[in-house]
Amino acid sequence: WTGNDINTRNEYSRKLIVESIKYWMTEYHIDGFRFDLAGIIDWKTIDVIREEAEKINPNVILIAEPWGGEYKPYGFSDHGWSSWNDKLRNGFKGYDPVNDRGLLFGSWHHGCNRFALENFIRGTIRSGEHGLFKTSEHSVNYIEAHDGYTFADFIKIALNNDKRNHVYQNQSEATTLEKKELEIAKLGALALFVSQGITMIHEGQEWGRAKVIVDHTGIDPNVGRLDHDSYNKDNETNWLNFNEINQNQDLFNYYKALIKLRLSSPALRKSDPHDIEFKVYNDPLHVTFSIDGKSSGDKYNYFVSLNGNLKTSHKIDLPKGTWEIVAYPRKCDPEGIRSIKTQYRVPASSGIILRQLRKK
């Protein structure tokens, strides 16, 4: 695909790959690797990589971009590897901001349906719709990567198609999110962090980073536009400016709190699929489910509601007892925000996470 494929079946090609990994692990203490276009690597090399890496660190993380010639997430799971889950990405976000949007924009990605989306949240397990993996720990969930628009730029264009060709005068103008854009950015983060498997966020996603085309040669006609494929730009287009964090500080704080909440809540990341029960509401864009914390060893049960409808709020009926809000549209706080009973109305383009102490 990119013209630099290598025959990994060759003895010395395989040795170069495996010995490099062993060196990085022993000398630099690297604890995980992601392989670009991993579909071109033969299965014997895939197995040798895992076997040799696990001798050094039994908990090594091996992640495949599971295409390159073929689409192979199923096979990588069989060989004990994790893979990028592009099905979840497309189900939530979509593939193209103009022609193919997902749940976060009140739409359905081509080929996706409600049952598939529920399975994505469960870990994209093979027993479910559009399943890929033997276990949710093989699902690397993401909505932004180095390829394509940043999530924030995708949101801008999805809500206003004219922004695809808009020329921004400066990076600051492009980075600052409008009210509706911020709502969807936070809903996307919430959806990502309540999906079973490994959560991946791309650099700058947590503050709504934009990629504005910069060109010092004076020959690029797209200067000032949002970039959807910045692989060939060694300039400010791809650089990270951490001073931008304060432009969307609320989003940055939301991500920080979601990370902390997820790490302290085993049920949000490694529950048995059967412990996740989806509720039926009138709007298929309103996805609500409960998680029993028993299988994961969590002391809480959870109730989650994701409202992908762009315009309509929805009321949820809570199971019996008192529930503690830990994330809702305005903020996330792992220590708890406030307690509620019986009902809650989830605004359009937003979500909520509630928890309740589990009875032993």
Side-chain angles (χ1 to χ4, degrees):
W1 286 5
T2 55
N4 56 355
D5 295 354
I6 185 172
N7 178 15
T8 60
R9 293 177 178 83
N10 181 285
E11 176 187 356
Y12 292 102
S13 296
R14 181 178 292 142
K15 185 175 181 180
L16 173 64
I17 295 170
V18 175
E19 292 299 318
S20 296
I21 289 168
K22 291 165 63 177
Y23 180 79
W24 287 325
M25 292 184 71
T26 54
E27 295 297 324
Y28 294 98
H29 308 290
I30 302 299
D31 56 12
F33 300 86
R34 177 266 185 189
F35 292 77
D36 193 74
L37 296 178
I40 67 172
I41 306 175
D42 70 281
W43 291 125
K44 181 177 179 181
T45 301
I46 289 296
D47 288 337
V48 173
I49 289 171
R50 182 175 56 79
E51 291 163 5
E52 293 300 314
E54 288 181 347
K55 290 178 183 177
I56 300 171
N57 178 2
N59 297 314
V60 65
I61 298 174
L62 298 172
I63 298 172
E65 183 190 39
W67 42 83
E70 296 178 52
Y71 185 70
K72 298 180 177 179
Y74 208 97
F76 278 104
S77 185
D78 283 340
H79 288 261
W81 282 50
S82 301
S83 294
W84 278 18
N85 190 344
D86 61 322
K87 289 186 179 293
L88 178 142
R89 175 201 65 192
N90 292 342
F92 279 133
K93 185 183 74 173
Y95 185 75
D96 179 84
V98 176
N99 302 307
D100 191 358
R101 298 182 291 269
L103 178 87
L104 300 176
F105 302 96
S107 301
W108 292 100
H109 163 66
H110 176 72
C112 185
N113 57 46
R114 175 61 185 260
F115 295 112
L117 198 72
E118 292 178 359
N119 191 34
F120 300 158
I121 292 171
R122 283 193 173 108
T124 318
I125 305 300
R126 289 178 183 173
S127 57
E129 193 88 8
H130 292 344
L132 297 172
F133 307 111
K134 294 170 63 176
T135 168
S136 64
E137 67 182 281
H138 290 163
S139 180
V140 179
N141 304 322
Y142 70 105
I143 51 177
E144 176 183 325
H146 62 278
D147 292 325
Y149 291 109
T150 68
F151 181 41
D153 289 348
F154 191 103
I155 294 172
K156 298 184 191 88
I157 297 169
L159 294 179
N160 182 354
N161 295 172
D162 291 340
K163 289 190 175 183
R164 171 173 272 181
N165 296 314
H166 179 76
V167 176
Y168 291 89
Q169 299 305 311
N170 55 63
Q171 180 74 26
S172 178
E173 178 194 358
T175 301
T176 302
L177 296 175
E178 298 173 1
K179 182 177 182 294
K180 192 64 176 182
E181 294 168 349
L182 179 60
E183 289 175 358
I184 294 178
K186 293 173 79 172
L187 175 60
L190 189 67
L192 186 62
F193 277 78
V194 297
S195 297
Q196 300 294 313
I198 299 172
T199 300
M200 182 185 95
I201 61 175
H202 185 229
E203 52 191 15
Q205 178 181 331
E206 69 274 26
W207 73 76
R209 172 194 172 207
K211 286 196 296 188
V212 178
I213 296 173
V214 175
D215 176 39
H216 298 296
T217 67
I219 62 175
D220 192 332
N222 295 310
V223 170
R225 294 179 179 177
L226 300 176
D227 199 323
H228 75 288
D229 195 9
S230 60
Y231 75 97
N232 60 347
K233 297 180 178 67
D234 185 14
N235 57 34
E236 295 92 324
T237 307
N238 283 316
W239 296 353
L240 299 178
N241 182 353
F242 293 97
N243 293 324
E244 294 177 352
I245 290 174
N246 58 19
Q247 293 181 236
N248 298 312
Q249 186 73 50
D250 189 39
L251 179 62
F252 181 76
N253 293 340
Y254 202 67
Y255 267 94
K256 283 181 63 177
L258 281 173
I259 292 170
K260 187 175 181 181
L261 174 64
R262 184 176 167 92
L263 289 174
S264 63
S265 308
L268 296 182
R269 49 195 166 89
K270 55 180 182 179
S271 287
D272 187 292
H274 300 292
D275 285 339
I276 302 174
E277 180 184 347
F278 287 86
K279 316 301 178 184
V280 178
Y281 284 88
N282 293 329
D283 185 352
L285 296 170
H286 181 205
V287 181
T288 298
F289 55 97
S290 60
I291 308 175
D292 189 315
K294 185 176 181 179
S295 67
S296 63
D298 202 311
K299 65 180 180 179
Y300 294 103
N301 293 329
Y302 296 83
F303 196 85
V304 180
S305 180
L306 307 172
N307 184 7
N309 194 304
L310 294 175
K311 298 180 180 179
T312 306
S313 65
H314 286 300
K315 182 182 70 174
I316 54 174
D317 298 311
L318 300 176
K320 291 181 179 180
T322 300
W323 290 86
E324 184 180 34
I325 297 174
V326 288
Y328 72 136
R330 286 198 295 177
K331 66 182 291 188
C332 173
D333 187 346
E335 301 302 318
I337 298 170
R338 62 185 175 91
S339 297
I340 61 172
K341 294 182 178 181
T342 66
Q343 294 181 338
Y344 183 86
R345 182 163 289 276
V346 184
S349 299
S350 74
I352 186 171
I353 305 174
L354 304 106
R355 69 186 178 195
Q356 182 185 73
L357 275 174
R358 185 168 54 83
K359 296 180 180 179
K360 296 181 179 180

